[in-house]
Amino acid sequence: MFTGLIEEIGEIVSVTPVDDSLRLVIAGPTVTSDAAHGASIAVSGVCLTVIDRGTAPDGRATFTADVMAQSIRMSTIGDVAPGTPVNLERAVRVDTRLGGHIVQGHVDGTATLISATPHEAWRVLRFSLDSSLAPLLVDKGSVTLSGVSLTVSAISDEAEHEQWFEVSLIPETLVATILGQLVPGDRVNVETDILARHVARMLRLGVAELPSTSTDAPVTDSPSTDSPSTDSPSTEGFRA
């Protein structure tokens, strides 16, 4: 589980094909400082598992992770090469503040940058939006782009043929993440809000209300009205 607050911009050191998967070595001194074997690190929004730690030729700390075929197919991770910058974030601790929003590191797909409009103190990025993801995004709602927790600042009308959405980036986000390096035509990983995905699933299944998971008889504070007995002690206020 992550928050979408990027800790550092790392760099791909090496990419090794292994059957239908990839083995990546990634430089990231901050995220590897306490990364044990099996730890989770989000790499541009894709949750990967640390299988080894090491040191790059320039002395930077690195970690190694395997990327399975599904992640390659669903994200931009298959496009990386040595030297590619990536956003890095360690899994969230339970004793810290949730500064962004709940991010799983499970990418839903990709979006392509259509335009980048500069303003005096921020930049507005407009991305294409796949029709299958359009119902999961809402104006002022949360979205994760290449691991960065952002707020949707504008979204296309449902009737528009080509769906799109916009995010507005402050100077800190432009500098502290790879989103500031994007140019039109670049792709980003998209993770929609987990709550929206659950609601959409329920609607598709036609679930009107949540099914009960309890097999116990309902508990009541009122004594039974069937065959009342005046000889037994009162049990009012107690539950079995």
Side-chain angles (χ1 to χ4, degrees):
M1 194 72 70
F2 307 91
T3 69
L5 300 184
I6 302 306
E7 297 185 85
E8 66 178 325
I9 297 179
E11 183 179 302
I12 302 295
V13 175
S14 67
V15 181
T16 304
V18 180
D19 296 325
D20 63 347
S21 65
L22 295 175
R23 176 160 292 180
L24 306 180
V25 176
I26 304 165
T30 298
V31 299
T32 57
S33 62
D34 61 352
H37 185 276
S40 294
I41 296 178
V43 179
S44 286
V46 181
C47 179
L48 298 181
T49 301
V50 175
I51 62 172
D52 196 10
R53 294 172 62 185
T55 306
D58 60 5
R60 289 178 297 171
T62 66
F63 68 95
T64 302
D66 288 332
V67 186
M68 62 182 180
Q70 183 181 15
S71 296
I72 297 171
R73 185 172 61 254
M74 295 289 293
S75 72
T76 64
I77 206 77
D79 300 336
V80 300
T84 299
V86 287
N87 291 326
L88 298 177
E89 181 192 357
R90 286 169 290 187
V92 66
R93 293 167 54 104
V94 295
D95 62 348
T96 190
R97 293 181 176 89
L98 183 62
H101 71 282
I102 296 175
V103 177
Q104 292 184 299
H106 302 164
V107 174
D108 295 306
T110 63
T112 301
L113 181 63
I114 299 172
S115 64
T117 305
H119 291 268
E120 186 173 344
W122 70 92
R123 187 180 304 168
V124 176
L125 304 185
R126 177 175 289 195
F127 293 92
S128 63
L129 181 58
D130 188 275
S131 58
S132 65
L133 299 181
L136 304 178
L137 266 64
V138 62
D139 188 28
K140 306 302 184 292
S142 296
V143 66
T144 307
L145 300 183
S146 290
V148 184
S149 172
L150 297 168
T151 300
V152 176
S153 56
I155 196 165
S156 57
D157 187 85
E158 295 87 347
E160 293 190 40
H161 178 65
E162 298 292 338
Q163 295 287 294
W164 53 266
F165 70 97
E166 291 181 348
V167 293
S168 300
L169 306 184
I170 62 174
E172 174 65 18
T173 305
L174 293 171
V175 172
T177 77
I178 63 173
L179 298 184
Q181 306 173 26
L182 298 177
V183 297
D186 286 346
R187 293 191 305 147
V188 295
N189 296 322
V190 178
E191 180 183 333
T192 57
D193 185 67
I194 180 61
L195 297 179
R197 297 204 300 272
H198 277 301
V199 171
R201 172 69 171 169
M202 291 173 64
L203 291 174
R204 287 197 301 270
L205 293 176
V207 178
E209 61 182 30
L210 293 177
S212 173
T213 58
S214 175
T215 57
D216 298 330
V219 178
T220 176
D221 285 332
S222 302
S224 173
T225 56
D226 295 332
S227 304
S229 172
T230 58
D231 296 330
S232 58
S234 171
T235 58
E236 185 177 356
F238 292 86
R239 299 185 181 182

